[in-house]
Structures are given as C-alpha cells and as structure tokens.
Amino acid sequence: MSTFFKVLLIILIILVIALVVLYFVGRRMQKKQMAQQEQMEAAKQTVSMLVIDKKRLPIKESGLPQMVIDQTPKLMRRSKLPIVKAKVGPRIMTLVSDAAIFDTIPVKREVKAVVSGIYIMEVRGVRGPLETVPKKKSFWARTKEKFSRKKS
C-alpha cells in the first residue's frame, strides 16, 4: 500500500511542476501577444478598398510575398489563413484578414478597412452597414429543431 502512495505522490508532484511551468510560459506568451497588439495598433491606418476575392488558403498558395512566408513558423505553414484579394487604390494586394471578421467581409463591394501592414483588423461598409452572417446552429440546436418540426 505504501508503494501506491509513493507513486501517487510522485505523479502529483510532476503534475504540479507541469502546471507551474505552463503558467509561466502562458504569461510570457501573453506579454508577447500584448506587445504585438500594441505595435499593430500603432501602425494601423484606414483605407478604402474594393474586395475582389476571399478564400481560406494555405500560406504557400496564398500569394503573399516570399519574405512573409519565410518568416512564419513552420507549424503555421500548414494551416489555412483567411486571405483577401483587394484593390487598394491602383494596386491589387493580397491581405490577411482577422479570422473573427473574415465572414463579414463582402465580396465585390467597396469597404473601409483598418489595416496594419498586410493584416486587416476591422471592416466597415462604405455605403451602409455590412450584412451580418447568421450564426451557425450547433448540432444539438439543429437536432432539436428537426424533432420539433416532426412532432408538429
């Protein structure tokens, strides 16, 4: 019985050490993110653009400059990014959108966007408000709706 408690104590100590390490790593990552967010806020500017196309593409197929692709972490290179192709002034540019606003960006319409470098942070409509995309229903909500229709 005493060996069981010794093993349990060792596992508990390892878990506590792992939680402490994760806490400090998380705080450091949060500070880095805050510093990056401040830099983006300092460099943001509002531009008027005509959105030509938008897709979720892997970074290699996105058409971003090679320097940007080289600077991305290796794990991030496989994931798909929300890419927006837009005409800003006389130039056609490939921009990366914030994932939270990607669905609200209208295609083939003019918008005012808050841009920091090649990153779209916020989008507003030039002529009236943007169309809000209805939120997708969860699996359980769709199932309840199907059953309620069958009972009626």
Side-chain angles (χ1 to χ4, degrees):
M1 202 62 149
S2 66
T3 59
F4 174 73
F5 287 117
K6 287 180 183 177
V7 170
L8 193 62
L9 183 66
I10 291 171
I11 291 173
L12 187 65
I13 290 171
I14 290 172
L15 284 176
V16 169
I17 291 171
L19 285 174
V20 169
V21 168
L22 284 175
Y23 173 75
F24 285 111
V25 169
R27 283 187 59 182
R28 184 178 302 150
M29 296 292 277
Q30 191 174 18
K31 286 180 184 177
K32 279 185 182 179
Q33 183 187 18
M34 292 297 287
Q36 288 174 348
Q37 192 68 30
E38 288 174 9
Q39 287 177 345
M40 287 177 62
E41 287 292 325
K44 73 179 184 181
Q45 52 186 295
T46 304
V47 295
S48 181
M49 63 173 64
L50 174 68
V51 178
I52 298 170
D53 189 22
K54 68 175 189 173
K55 292 181 185 173
R56 292 190 189 271
L57 294 171
I59 195 162
K60 290 183 180 178
E61 299 173 12
S62 64
L64 292 170
Q66 188 63 38
M67 188 174 84
V68 173
I69 295 171
D70 292 340
Q71 287 179 352
T72 55
K74 294 213 184 266
L75 292 174
M76 186 76 176
R77 291 184 190 175
R78 290 184 179 169
S79 65
K80 292 185 176 182
L81 291 176
I83 302 294
V84 175
K85 211 169 228 172
K87 184 174 182 184
V88 182
R91 295 176 39 195
I92 295 177
M93 298 178 68
T94 303
L95 304 165
V96 179
S97 170
D98 189 4
I101 64 161
F102 181 71
D103 293 330
T104 62
I105 298 174
V107 179
K108 298 192 173 144
R109 281 190 55 196
E110 192 172 353
V111 294
K112 285 226 184 255
V114 177
V115 179
S116 177
I118 62 167
Y119 191 75
I120 301 173
M121 299 169 64
E122 186 183 329
V123 175
R124 290 186 301 270
V126 173
R127 295 170 189 90
L130 295 176
E131 299 169 8
T132 56
V133 179
K135 188 176 179 183
K136 289 186 178 181
K137 294 182 181 177
S138 68
F139 174 75
W140 293 113
R142 289 190 307 250
T143 311
K144 283 181 183 178
E145 188 177 306
K146 283 181 186 178
F147 283 117
S148 66
R149 275 192 268 149
K150 287 183 180 180
K151 289 181 181 178
S152 301

